[in-house]
Amino acid sequence: MEEQGAENGVADMAACYQGFDPGAYLQNNYSPAIADFERKDGLEPWKLACLHRAFTEGDVRGELLVDVGSGPSLYQVMSGCEVFNKVLLTDFLEVNRQELRSWLQDEGGCSMDWTPFLQHVCKLEGRPSSAWTEKAARLRQVIVDIVHIDVHSPQPLALDVLPSAGADCLVSAYCLESASPDLAAFTRALGHIGRLLRPGGHLLLIGTLGMTYYMAGPGVKIPTVPVNAAQVCASLKESGYTLIRLEVYRVPQDMMLCSDDSPGTFFVKAIKE
Ligand code: SAH
């Protein structure tokens, strides 16, 4: 009975995602008006600084970085692409994988100009912002594939996608709480993706705090599971991770988006036991 309820919840989420519009999502969250790099207290500078720090502390290393639930977005691998020689992008939806492919092919037709993000990460690395073209080239060089993933499946990726040892590091932004009907499903999904990671590998997890919905296109309202920091810590522990740190960003009142009701974001660095 309980299992049936859980399956229905996950199926309802998958149905909601059929309306996901990559262009609208990018516009709502990452267009220049929203991702204003002049505002030092903005979410994007905060997120990129967390990722930069996590990837440059020296403990995160290896060959393969997997981004879980990339969506149509690339900012989350802009620091990691300098550390890893192979980066695998993944998403549940073909429309998002297609959007990422069009950026990779660089022949126009891409809905998003990632230049300000690339420039900002170059500056974090102590390089001039003009080095963004080199970073874009590096990113295009290390992305090995863009594949389907389902975090609600005990085996989220097709069998032959990863080497048997697993990935050296996972990054995942705004995927688990946005794809899960409730906290139990969120925790299970953390466990599922952990199977992709080698023991001793790192998880860098970004997510919203207390968000109940976001808009993923005109009239496409996606319900999400509102989580708090204590719940995230408990879910990590239950799913076999050891927390290294959790940081919290609170959205300034004048920067609240009209496309969601999220008051904050968390960033987690954890290690798989
Ligand atoms: N990481 C991106 C996108 C987050 S939006 C960013 O930071 O902008 C949430 C993403 O979760 C969407 O791309 C959606 O396709 C994906 N998603 C939805 N259901 C999923 C599932 N069952 N498994 C994996 N990803 C899923």
Side-chain angles (χ1 to χ4, degrees), residues 17 25 30 69-71 73 75 91-92 96 150-152 173-175 179:
Y17 270 97
Y25 174 80
Y30 307 119
S70 308
S73 309
Y75 70 87
D91 200 68
F92 186 63
N96 285 333
D150 181 358
V151 298
H152 298 307
Y174 302 119
C175 175

Side-chain angles (χ1 to χ4, degrees), residues 65-133:
L65 168 66
V66 176
D67 178 23
V68 173
S70 308
S73 309
L74 284 157
Y75 70 87
Q76 66 278 16
V77 289
M78 287 180 187
S79 288
C81 74
E82 305 292 344
V83 179
F84 290 88
N85 287 322
K86 293 180 180 169
V87 175
L88 179 70
L89 303 181
T90 69
D91 200 68
F92 186 63
L93 295 176
E94 172 58 19
V95 282
N96 285 333
R97 298 193 298 270
Q98 191 49 49
E99 178 66 33
L100 295 170
R101 270 182 229 119
S102 40
W103 184 83
L104 201 57
Q105 286 154 5
D106 197 17
E107 289 165 355
C110 186
S111 310
M112 177 74 192
D113 177 8
W114 289 104
T115 309
F117 289 76
L118 292 161
Q119 289 174 328
H120 189 82
V121 179
C122 284
K123 285 199 246 166
L124 291 173
E125 290 168 359
R127 300 199 269 169
S129 51
S130 57
W132 75 269
T133 52

Side-chain angles (χ1 to χ4, degrees), residues 39-55:
R39 282 282 302 252
K40 300 289 171 260
D41 58 348
L43 173 60
E44 298 313 314
W46 182 84
K47 259 193 305 193
L48 294 179
C50 288
L51 287 163
H52 170 74
R53 177 180 168 202
F55 277 114

Side-chain angles (χ1 to χ4, degrees), residues 81-85 134-143:
C81 74
E82 305 292 344
V83 179
F84 290 88
N85 287 322
E134 288 155 35
K135 184 175 279 298
R138 166 81 191 168
L139 192 48
R140 287 193 170 98
Q141 181 203 327
V142 296
I143 293 174

